[in-house]
Amino acid sequence: MVNTAWMETTDLAAGRGAVGIGLAVGVVVVGVLIAAFALGSRRVRRGDTARPRPEEQPRVPEGGPVRETREQREPNEMPRSDRRLTPHEMDGRGNSGTRTGTSQERPRWDEGSSGGFGSGGPGTR
């Protein structure tokens, strides 16, 4: 007859050893990942440019600050031709050009209108 109690203990011991080796390998992998991250972050920090010195800071132009210009624009007329024009033959490289509008008065919504299609409100006066 064979002693089965001895075989069970050896199987358990082999299982514990495999778990221990797996745990050790996992700890080593985590350590390598942490070291790689630390090394990479140092390398990135070294590559950053230094902050600009006070004399390198942007300055206001001599003519003063640039202001926003508000004007009403209107589209240019399409050139008349007997044939259909292709985009590269148009002014503005195929885009519809604009010019300063004849009226510089800002358009306002009509009193009593909803202000836009489908935005609610009565829409009539």
Side-chain angles (χ1 to χ4, degrees):
M1 215 177 194
V2 179
N3 189 357
T4 57
W6 179 78
M7 290 174 76
E8 287 177 13
T9 8
T10 56
D11 289 342
L12 287 176
R16 286 186 195 138
V19 169
I21 290 173
L23 185 62
V25 169
V27 168
V28 169
V29 167
V30 168
V32 168
L33 288 173
I34 290 172
F37 178 78
L39 200 91
S41 64
R42 282 187 198 147
R43 189 174 290 170
V44 167
R45 256 189 262 128
R46 261 188 265 131
D48 283 348
T49 57
R51 291 183 177 166
R53 295 187 302 272
E55 61 270 7
E56 295 174 338
Q57 295 289 333
R59 302 278 183 231
V60 176
E62 289 181 19
V66 179
R67 301 283 184 218
E68 180 179 324
T69 307
R70 290 189 180 200
E71 64 179 357
Q72 299 302 315
R73 306 286 294 173
E74 58 186 32
N76 289 335
E77 278 191 40
M78 289 292 295
R80 303 282 182 207
S81 177
D82 294 339
R83 61 182 181 77
R84 185 173 166 179
L85 295 177
T86 57
H88 72 274
E89 295 173 316
M90 293 173 55
D91 293 333
R93 294 185 176 87
N95 297 321
S96 176
T98 60
R99 63 178 184 268
T100 303
T102 53
S103 170
Q104 289 301 307
E105 188 175 319
R106 292 179 58 195
R108 300 288 182 190
W109 297 114
D110 291 335
E111 190 66 37
S113 75
S114 65
F117 178 76
S119 64
T124 59
R125 293 181 188 212

Short mmCIF file of all heavy atoms in Angstrom, two decimals, residues 6-68:
data_model
loop_
_atom_site.label_atom_id
_atom_site.label_comp_id
_atom_site.label_asym_id
_atom_site.label_seq_id
_atom_site.Cartn_x
_atom_site.Cartn_y
_atom_site.Cartn_z
N TRP A 6 1.61 11.53 2.27
CA TRP A 6 2.90 12.12 1.86
C TRP A 6 2.77 12.78 0.48
O TRP A 6 3.29 13.86 0.24
CB TRP A 6 3.96 11.03 1.84
CG TRP A 6 5.29 11.55 1.40
CD1 TRP A 6 6.17 12.27 2.13
CD2 TRP A 6 5.86 11.41 0.11
NE1 TRP A 6 7.27 12.58 1.39
CE2 TRP A 6 7.10 12.08 0.13
CE3 TRP A 6 5.46 10.79 -1.08
CZ2 TRP A 6 7.94 12.13 -0.98
CZ3 TRP A 6 6.31 10.84 -2.16
CH2 TRP A 6 7.53 11.52 -2.12
N MET A 7 2.03 12.21 -0.46
CA MET A 7 1.86 12.73 -1.81
C MET A 7 1.05 14.03 -1.79
O MET A 7 1.36 14.96 -2.52
CB MET A 7 1.18 11.70 -2.71
CG MET A 7 2.07 10.52 -3.01
SD MET A 7 1.23 9.25 -3.92
CE MET A 7 1.17 9.95 -5.52
N GLU A 8 0.06 14.11 -0.92
CA GLU A 8 -0.73 15.33 -0.82
C GLU A 8 0.11 16.49 -0.31
O GLU A 8 -0.01 17.61 -0.75
CB GLU A 8 -1.94 15.10 0.09
CG GLU A 8 -3.01 14.23 -0.54
CD GLU A 8 -4.15 13.95 0.41
OE1 GLU A 8 -4.24 14.62 1.47
OE2 GLU A 8 -4.96 13.08 0.10
N THR A 9 0.99 16.24 0.63
CA THR A 9 1.84 17.31 1.16
C THR A 9 2.81 17.79 0.11
O THR A 9 3.08 18.98 0.03
CB THR A 9 2.63 16.83 2.39
OG1 THR A 9 2.48 15.46 2.61
CG2 THR A 9 2.28 17.60 3.61
N THR A 10 3.35 16.91 -0.69
CA THR A 10 4.29 17.35 -1.72
C THR A 10 3.57 18.16 -2.79
O THR A 10 4.12 19.12 -3.30
CB THR A 10 5.02 16.15 -2.36
OG1 THR A 10 4.05 15.24 -2.86
CG2 THR A 10 5.94 15.49 -1.37
N ASP A 11 2.35 17.80 -3.11
CA ASP A 11 1.59 18.57 -4.10
C ASP A 11 1.30 19.98 -3.59
O ASP A 11 1.41 20.95 -4.31
CB ASP A 11 0.26 17.87 -4.42
CG ASP A 11 0.46 16.60 -5.24
OD1 ASP A 11 1.56 16.49 -5.83
OD2 ASP A 11 -0.45 15.76 -5.27
N LEU A 12 0.94 20.09 -2.32
CA LEU A 12 0.67 21.40 -1.75
C LEU A 12 1.94 22.24 -1.70
O LEU A 12 1.93 23.44 -1.97
CB LEU A 12 0.09 21.27 -0.33
CG LEU A 12 -1.35 20.79 -0.25
CD1 LEU A 12 -1.74 20.61 1.21
CD2 LEU A 12 -2.28 21.76 -0.92
N ALA A 13 3.06 21.65 -1.39
CA ALA A 13 4.32 22.38 -1.32
C ALA A 13 4.71 22.88 -2.70
O ALA A 13 5.20 24.00 -2.85
CB ALA A 13 5.41 21.49 -0.74
N ALA A 14 4.49 22.09 -3.72
CA ALA A 14 4.81 22.51 -5.08
C ALA A 14 3.91 23.67 -5.49
O ALA A 14 4.34 24.61 -6.14
CB ALA A 14 4.65 21.34 -6.04
N GLY A 15 2.65 23.65 -5.09
CA GLY A 15 1.71 24.72 -5.40
C GLY A 15 2.12 26.02 -4.71
O GLY A 15 2.05 27.09 -5.29
N ARG A 16 2.56 25.96 -3.48
CA ARG A 16 2.99 27.14 -2.75
C ARG A 16 4.23 27.74 -3.40
O ARG A 16 4.38 28.95 -3.48
CB ARG A 16 3.27 26.80 -1.29
CG ARG A 16 2.04 26.58 -0.49
CD ARG A 16 2.39 26.39 0.98
NE ARG A 16 1.24 25.84 1.68
CZ ARG A 16 1.30 24.89 2.59
NH1 ARG A 16 2.46 24.37 2.91
NH2 ARG A 16 0.21 24.47 3.16
N GLY A 17 5.13 26.91 -3.87
CA GLY A 17 6.36 27.39 -4.52
C GLY A 17 6.04 28.12 -5.82
O GLY A 17 6.63 29.16 -6.12
N ALA A 18 5.09 27.60 -6.58
CA ALA A 18 4.70 28.25 -7.84
C ALA A 18 4.05 29.59 -7.57
O ALA A 18 4.30 30.58 -8.28
CB ALA A 18 3.76 27.34 -8.62
N VAL A 19 3.24 29.68 -6.54
CA VAL A 19 2.60 30.94 -6.18
C VAL A 19 3.67 31.95 -5.75
O VAL A 19 3.64 33.12 -6.12
CB VAL A 19 1.55 30.73 -5.06
CG1 VAL A 19 1.08 32.06 -4.49
CG2 VAL A 19 0.37 29.94 -5.60
N GLY A 20 4.63 31.49 -4.98
CA GLY A 20 5.72 32.37 -4.52
C GLY A 20 6.53 32.89 -5.68
O GLY A 20 6.89 34.08 -5.73
N ILE A 21 6.85 32.03 -6.64
CA ILE A 21 7.62 32.45 -7.82
C ILE A 21 6.80 33.44 -8.65
O ILE A 21 7.30 34.47 -9.10
CB ILE A 21 8.04 31.23 -8.66
CG1 ILE A 21 9.09 30.42 -7.90
CG2 ILE A 21 8.58 31.67 -10.02
CD1 ILE A 21 9.45 29.11 -8.57
N GLY A 22 5.52 33.17 -8.82
CA GLY A 22 4.64 34.08 -9.57
C GLY A 22 4.55 35.44 -8.91
O GLY A 22 4.58 36.48 -9.57
N LEU A 23 4.47 35.44 -7.58
CA LEU A 23 4.42 36.70 -6.84
C LEU A 23 5.73 37.47 -6.99
O LEU A 23 5.73 38.69 -7.20
CB LEU A 23 4.12 36.42 -5.37
CG LEU A 23 3.93 37.63 -4.47
CD1 LEU A 23 2.73 38.44 -4.96
CD2 LEU A 23 3.74 37.22 -3.03
N ALA A 24 6.84 36.79 -6.93
CA ALA A 24 8.15 37.44 -7.07
C ALA A 24 8.30 38.03 -8.48
O ALA A 24 8.79 39.17 -8.65
CB ALA A 24 9.26 36.43 -6.79
N VAL A 25 7.86 37.30 -9.50
CA VAL A 25 7.93 37.81 -10.87
C VAL A 25 7.04 39.04 -11.02
O VAL A 25 7.42 40.04 -11.64
CB VAL A 25 7.54 36.71 -11.88
CG1 VAL A 25 7.33 37.28 -13.27
CG2 VAL A 25 8.59 35.61 -11.91
N GLY A 26 5.87 39.02 -10.41
CA GLY A 26 4.97 40.17 -10.46
C GLY A 26 5.57 41.39 -9.81
O GLY A 26 5.47 42.51 -10.33
N VAL A 27 6.23 41.21 -8.66
CA VAL A 27 6.87 42.33 -7.97
C VAL A 27 7.99 42.91 -8.83
O VAL A 27 8.15 44.13 -8.93
CB VAL A 27 7.39 41.89 -6.58
CG1 VAL A 27 8.31 42.94 -5.97
CG2 VAL A 27 6.22 41.59 -5.66
N VAL A 28 8.76 42.05 -9.49
CA VAL A 28 9.84 42.52 -10.36
C VAL A 28 9.27 43.30 -11.55
O VAL A 28 9.77 44.37 -11.90
CB VAL A 28 10.70 41.32 -10.85
CG1 VAL A 28 11.65 41.74 -11.96
CG2 VAL A 28 11.47 40.72 -9.69
N VAL A 29 8.20 42.82 -12.16
CA VAL A 29 7.58 43.52 -13.30
C VAL A 29 7.07 44.89 -12.87
O VAL A 29 7.29 45.89 -13.56
CB VAL A 29 6.44 42.66 -13.91
CG1 VAL A 29 5.59 43.47 -14.87
CG2 VAL A 29 7.01 41.45 -14.60
N VAL A 30 6.42 44.99 -11.72
CA VAL A 30 5.93 46.27 -11.23
C VAL A 30 7.09 47.21 -10.96
O VAL A 30 7.05 48.40 -11.29
CB VAL A 30 5.05 46.07 -9.96
CG1 VAL A 30 4.78 47.39 -9.27
CG2 VAL A 30 3.75 45.38 -10.32
N GLY A 31 8.18 46.70 -10.38
CA GLY A 31 9.37 47.52 -10.13
C GLY A 31 9.96 48.06 -11.42
O GLY A 31 10.36 49.24 -11.49
N VAL A 32 10.03 47.22 -12.45
CA VAL A 32 10.57 47.66 -13.75
C VAL A 32 9.67 48.74 -14.35
O VAL A 32 10.15 49.74 -14.90
CB VAL A 32 10.73 46.46 -14.70
CG1 VAL A 32 10.98 46.90 -16.13
CG2 VAL A 32 11.85 45.55 -14.23
N LEU A 33 8.37 48.59 -14.25
CA LEU A 33 7.44 49.60 -14.79
C LEU A 33 7.58 50.93 -14.06
O LEU A 33 7.58 52.00 -14.68
CB LEU A 33 6.00 49.10 -14.71
CG LEU A 33 5.62 47.98 -15.68
CD1 LEU A 33 4.22 47.47 -15.37
CD2 LEU A 33 5.72 48.46 -17.11
N ILE A 34 7.70 50.89 -12.74
CA ILE A 34 7.86 52.13 -11.97
C ILE A 34 9.17 52.81 -12.35
O ILE A 34 9.23 54.04 -12.54
CB ILE A 34 7.78 51.84 -10.46
CG1 ILE A 34 6.35 51.46 -10.08
CG2 ILE A 34 8.26 53.03 -9.63
CD1 ILE A 34 6.19 50.96 -8.66
N ALA A 35 10.25 52.04 -12.48
CA ALA A 35 11.55 52.61 -12.86
C ALA A 35 11.49 53.22 -14.27
O ALA A 35 12.04 54.30 -14.50
CB ALA A 35 12.63 51.54 -12.79
N ALA A 36 10.82 52.56 -15.19
CA ALA A 36 10.70 53.08 -16.56
C ALA A 36 9.92 54.38 -16.57
O ALA A 36 10.26 55.33 -17.28
CB ALA A 36 10.03 52.05 -17.47
N PHE A 37 8.86 54.46 -15.78
CA PHE A 37 8.07 55.69 -15.70
C PHE A 37 8.91 56.83 -15.13
O PHE A 37 8.90 57.95 -15.64
CB PHE A 37 6.82 55.47 -14.84
CG PHE A 37 5.99 56.70 -14.67
CD1 PHE A 37 5.16 57.12 -15.69
CD2 PHE A 37 6.06 57.45 -13.51
CE1 PHE A 37 4.40 58.27 -15.55
CE2 PHE A 37 5.31 58.60 -13.36
CZ PHE A 37 4.48 59.01 -14.38
N ALA A 38 9.65 56.56 -14.05
CA ALA A 38 10.48 57.60 -13.43
C ALA A 38 11.55 58.07 -14.41
O ALA A 38 11.81 59.28 -14.54
CB ALA A 38 11.12 57.06 -12.15
N LEU A 39 12.19 57.16 -15.10
CA LEU A 39 13.23 57.53 -16.07
C LEU A 39 12.64 58.34 -17.21
O LEU A 39 13.21 59.35 -17.64
CB LEU A 39 13.90 56.26 -16.61
CG LEU A 39 15.25 56.47 -17.23
CD1 LEU A 39 16.30 56.30 -16.14
CD2 LEU A 39 15.47 55.46 -18.33
N GLY A 40 11.47 57.94 -17.71
CA GLY A 40 10.83 58.66 -18.81
C GLY A 40 10.39 60.06 -18.41
O GLY A 40 10.53 61.01 -19.17
N SER A 41 9.87 60.22 -17.20
CA SER A 41 9.43 61.54 -16.77
C SER A 41 10.62 62.48 -16.59
O SER A 41 10.53 63.67 -16.87
CB SER A 41 8.61 61.45 -15.49
OG SER A 41 9.41 60.98 -14.42
N ARG A 42 11.76 61.97 -16.13
CA ARG A 42 12.97 62.81 -16.04
C ARG A 42 13.42 63.26 -17.42
O ARG A 42 13.80 64.40 -17.62
CB ARG A 42 14.11 62.03 -15.39
CG ARG A 42 14.00 61.95 -13.90
CD ARG A 42 15.23 61.33 -13.32
NE ARG A 42 14.96 60.88 -11.96
CZ ARG A 42 15.51 59.83 -11.41
NH1 ARG A 42 16.37 59.10 -12.09
NH2 ARG A 42 15.21 59.50 -10.18
N ARG A 43 13.37 62.34 -18.37
CA ARG A 43 13.80 62.67 -19.73
C ARG A 43 12.90 63.74 -20.35
O ARG A 43 13.35 64.64 -21.03
CB ARG A 43 13.78 61.40 -20.59
CG ARG A 43 14.40 61.59 -21.95
CD ARG A 43 14.50 60.30 -22.69
NE ARG A 43 15.50 59.45 -22.06
CZ ARG A 43 15.68 58.18 -22.36
NH1 ARG A 43 14.93 57.60 -23.25
NH2 ARG A 43 16.61 57.48 -21.76
N VAL A 44 11.60 63.64 -20.10
CA VAL A 44 10.65 64.63 -20.63
C VAL A 44 10.90 65.98 -19.98
O VAL A 44 10.91 67.02 -20.64
CB VAL A 44 9.19 64.16 -20.39
CG1 VAL A 44 8.21 65.29 -20.62
CG2 VAL A 44 8.87 62.99 -21.28
N ARG A 45 11.13 66.00 -18.65
CA ARG A 45 11.39 67.26 -17.95
C ARG A 45 12.65 67.93 -18.46
O ARG A 45 12.71 69.14 -18.56
CB ARG A 45 11.51 67.02 -16.44
CG ARG A 45 10.26 67.45 -15.72
CD ARG A 45 10.45 67.42 -14.22
NE ARG A 45 9.89 66.17 -13.71
CZ ARG A 45 10.52 65.33 -12.92
NH1 ARG A 45 11.71 65.58 -12.49
NH2 ARG A 45 9.94 64.22 -12.54
N ARG A 46 13.67 67.16 -18.78
CA ARG A 46 14.91 67.74 -19.31
C ARG A 46 14.68 68.37 -20.68
O ARG A 46 15.33 69.34 -21.03
CB ARG A 46 16.00 66.68 -19.42
CG ARG A 46 16.96 66.72 -18.27
CD ARG A 46 18.13 65.81 -18.50
NE ARG A 46 17.84 64.53 -17.84
CZ ARG A 46 17.98 63.34 -18.41
NH1 ARG A 46 18.41 63.22 -19.62
NH2 ARG A 46 17.69 62.25 -17.75
N GLY A 47 13.76 67.84 -21.46
CA GLY A 47 13.49 68.34 -22.81
C GLY A 47 12.61 69.58 -22.83
O GLY A 47 12.49 70.24 -23.86
N ASP A 48 11.96 69.92 -21.71
CA ASP A 48 11.11 71.10 -21.67
C ASP A 48 11.94 72.37 -21.85
O ASP A 48 13.07 72.45 -21.39
CB ASP A 48 10.36 71.19 -20.33
CG ASP A 48 9.18 70.24 -20.26
OD1 ASP A 48 8.82 69.70 -21.32
OD2 ASP A 48 8.64 70.06 -19.17
N THR A 49 11.34 73.33 -22.52
CA THR A 49 12.03 74.60 -22.69
C THR A 49 11.91 75.42 -21.42
O THR A 49 10.95 75.30 -20.67
CB THR A 49 11.43 75.40 -23.87
OG1 THR A 49 10.04 75.58 -23.61
CG2 THR A 49 11.62 74.67 -25.18
N ALA A 50 12.89 76.27 -21.20
CA ALA A 50 12.88 77.10 -20.00
C ALA A 50 11.84 78.21 -20.16
O ALA A 50 11.45 78.57 -21.26
CB ALA A 50 14.26 77.71 -19.80
N ARG A 51 11.39 78.75 -19.04
CA ARG A 51 10.44 79.85 -19.09
C ARG A 51 11.11 81.06 -19.71
O ARG A 51 12.30 81.31 -19.49
CB ARG A 51 9.98 80.20 -17.68
CG ARG A 51 9.11 79.15 -17.08
CD ARG A 51 8.62 79.58 -15.72
NE ARG A 51 7.73 78.58 -15.18
CZ ARG A 51 7.35 78.55 -13.93
NH1 ARG A 51 7.78 79.46 -13.09
NH2 ARG A 51 6.54 77.60 -13.50
N PRO A 52 10.35 81.86 -20.46
CA PRO A 52 10.96 83.05 -21.07
C PRO A 52 11.34 84.08 -20.01
O PRO A 52 10.64 84.26 -19.01
CB PRO A 52 9.87 83.59 -22.00
CG PRO A 52 8.62 82.95 -21.57
CD PRO A 52 8.97 81.69 -20.86
N ARG A 53 12.49 84.72 -20.23
CA ARG A 53 12.95 85.77 -19.33
C ARG A 53 12.10 87.02 -19.55
O ARG A 53 11.41 87.14 -20.56
CB ARG A 53 14.42 86.06 -19.61
CG ARG A 53 15.31 84.84 -19.27
CD ARG A 53 16.79 85.20 -19.39
NE ARG A 53 17.17 85.68 -20.70
CZ ARG A 53 17.56 84.92 -21.71
NH1 ARG A 53 17.60 83.62 -21.56
NH2 ARG A 53 17.91 85.44 -22.86
N PRO A 54 12.11 87.98 -18.62
CA PRO A 54 11.28 89.18 -18.77
C PRO A 54 11.52 89.93 -20.08
O PRO A 54 10.57 90.43 -20.68
CB PRO A 54 11.67 90.04 -17.56
CG PRO A 54 12.14 89.06 -16.55
CD PRO A 54 12.78 87.94 -17.32
N GLU A 55 12.74 89.97 -20.56
CA GLU A 55 13.00 90.69 -21.82
C GLU A 55 12.50 89.91 -23.04
O GLU A 55 12.36 90.46 -24.13
CB GLU A 55 14.48 91.03 -21.97
CG GLU A 55 15.40 89.83 -22.00
CD GLU A 55 15.90 89.41 -20.62
OE1 GLU A 55 15.45 89.97 -19.60
OE2 GLU A 55 16.74 88.50 -20.58
N GLU A 56 12.18 88.63 -22.87
CA GLU A 56 11.67 87.82 -23.97
C GLU A 56 10.14 87.79 -24.01
O GLU A 56 9.56 87.19 -24.91
CB GLU A 56 12.18 86.38 -23.84
CG GLU A 56 13.68 86.25 -23.98
CD GLU A 56 14.17 84.84 -23.70
OE1 GLU A 56 13.47 84.07 -23.01
OE2 GLU A 56 15.27 84.52 -24.17
N GLN A 57 9.50 88.41 -23.04
CA GLN A 57 8.04 88.42 -22.99
C GLN A 57 7.47 89.26 -24.13
O GLN A 57 8.11 90.21 -24.60
CB GLN A 57 7.55 89.01 -21.65
CG GLN A 57 7.93 88.17 -20.45
CD GLN A 57 7.15 86.87 -20.39
OE1 GLN A 57 6.04 86.78 -20.90
NE2 GLN A 57 7.73 85.87 -19.77
N PRO A 58 6.26 88.95 -24.62
CA PRO A 58 5.65 89.74 -25.68
C PRO A 58 5.38 91.17 -25.23
O PRO A 58 5.11 91.43 -24.05
CB PRO A 58 4.33 89.03 -25.98
CG PRO A 58 4.28 87.84 -25.12
CD PRO A 58 5.45 87.82 -24.22
N ARG A 59 5.49 92.10 -26.15
CA ARG A 59 5.27 93.51 -25.85
C ARG A 59 4.10 94.05 -26.65
O ARG A 59 3.76 93.53 -27.72
CB ARG A 59 6.52 94.33 -26.23
CG ARG A 59 7.78 93.89 -25.53
CD ARG A 59 7.85 94.50 -24.15
NE ARG A 59 9.10 94.13 -23.51
CZ ARG A 59 9.17 93.60 -22.30
NH1 ARG A 59 8.09 93.41 -21.61
NH2 ARG A 59 10.32 93.28 -21.78
N VAL A 60 3.48 95.11 -26.17
CA VAL A 60 2.39 95.78 -26.88
C VAL A 60 2.99 96.49 -28.09
O VAL A 60 4.07 97.10 -27.98
CB VAL A 60 1.69 96.80 -25.95
CG1 VAL A 60 0.62 97.56 -26.69
CG2 VAL A 60 1.09 96.08 -24.75
N PRO A 61 2.35 96.43 -29.27
CA PRO A 61 2.89 97.12 -30.44
C PRO A 61 3.02 98.63 -30.19
O PRO A 61 2.35 99.20 -29.33
CB PRO A 61 1.85 96.86 -31.53
CG PRO A 61 1.07 95.70 -31.06
CD PRO A 61 1.14 95.70 -29.57
N GLU A 62 3.90 99.27 -30.96
CA GLU A 62 4.15 100.70 -30.77
C GLU A 62 2.90 101.54 -30.98
O GLU A 62 2.70 102.55 -30.33
CB GLU A 62 5.25 101.16 -31.73
CG GLU A 62 6.62 100.65 -31.36
CD GLU A 62 7.69 101.14 -32.30
OE1 GLU A 62 7.45 102.12 -33.02
OE2 GLU A 62 8.75 100.52 -32.32
N GLY A 63 2.03 101.14 -31.87
CA GLY A 63 0.81 101.88 -32.15
C GLY A 63 -0.27 101.66 -31.12
O GLY A 63 -1.39 102.15 -31.27
N GLY A 64 0.01 100.91 -30.08
CA GLY A 64 -0.99 100.61 -29.07
C GLY A 64 -1.59 99.23 -29.30
O GLY A 64 -1.24 98.54 -30.26
N PRO A 65 -2.49 98.82 -28.44
CA PRO A 65 -3.07 97.49 -28.59
C PRO A 65 -3.94 97.41 -29.85
O PRO A 65 -4.53 98.39 -30.27
CB PRO A 65 -3.91 97.31 -27.33
CG PRO A 65 -4.12 98.68 -26.80
CD PRO A 65 -2.97 99.52 -27.27
N VAL A 66 -3.97 96.25 -30.43
CA VAL A 66 -4.77 96.02 -31.63
C VAL A 66 -6.22 95.84 -31.18
O VAL A 66 -6.52 95.08 -30.27
CB VAL A 66 -4.28 94.76 -32.38
CG1 VAL A 66 -5.12 94.50 -33.60
CG2 VAL A 66 -2.83 94.92 -32.76
N ARG A 67 -7.11 96.55 -31.82
CA ARG A 67 -8.53 96.49 -31.45
C ARG A 67 -9.31 95.68 -32.47
O ARG A 67 -8.94 95.57 -33.63
CB ARG A 67 -9.13 97.91 -31.39
CG ARG A 67 -8.44 98.82 -30.41
CD ARG A 67 -8.89 98.49 -29.00
NE ARG A 67 -8.29 99.43 -28.07
CZ ARG A 67 -7.85 99.10 -26.88
NH1 ARG A 67 -7.93 97.86 -26.48
NH2 ARG A 67 -7.32 99.99 -26.08
N GLU A 68 -10.44 95.18 -32.01
CA GLU A 68 -11.33 94.43 -32.89
C GLU A 68 -12.09 95.41 -33.77
O GLU A 68 -12.55 96.44 -33.32
CB GLU A 68 -12.31 93.64 -32.03
CG GLU A 68 -13.28 92.81 -32.82
CD GLU A 68 -14.21 92.03 -31.90
OE1 GLU A 68 -13.76 91.58 -30.85
OE2 GLU A 68 -15.38 91.90 -32.27
#
